[in-house]
Amino acid sequence: MTTTLYYFTGTGNSISIAKGIAAELQDSELLFMANYSQKDNITTSSEKVGFVFPMYYWGLPQIVYEFIEKINL
């Protein structure tokens, strides 16, 4: 079963967590959400999808909001 983990990190903590999760999963890949900021539609062929990002006091990082609006699962 393939798994894609999309992550966003500002300080490096979230990528560290994402790498740890990916190491425990078989057949997984890590993709940085910011690399998709210029795309209008994001699709994935993975059977499982996960998201790793920091939680800020005022809510999700703006880039995460924008990414979630664009992804087609």
Side-chain angles (χ1 to χ4, degrees), residues 2-52:
T2 60
T3 303
T4 300
L5 293 173
Y6 293 99
Y7 72 92
F8 173 72
T9 189
T11 62
N13 292 333
S14 293
I15 184 63
S16 177
I17 297 297
K19 285 179 180 179
I21 293 170
E24 295 295 321
L25 299 173
Q26 297 176 352
D27 196 20
S28 64
E29 65 177 335
L30 292 174
L31 299 173
F32 188 45
M33 288 183 196
N35 290 344
Y36 296 88
S37 63
Q38 300 300 317
K39 295 193 178 208
D40 293 328
N41 189 14
I42 303 163
T43 59
T44 182
S45 60
S46 295
E47 295 170 338
K48 292 192 261 180
V49 175
F51 303 96
V52 180

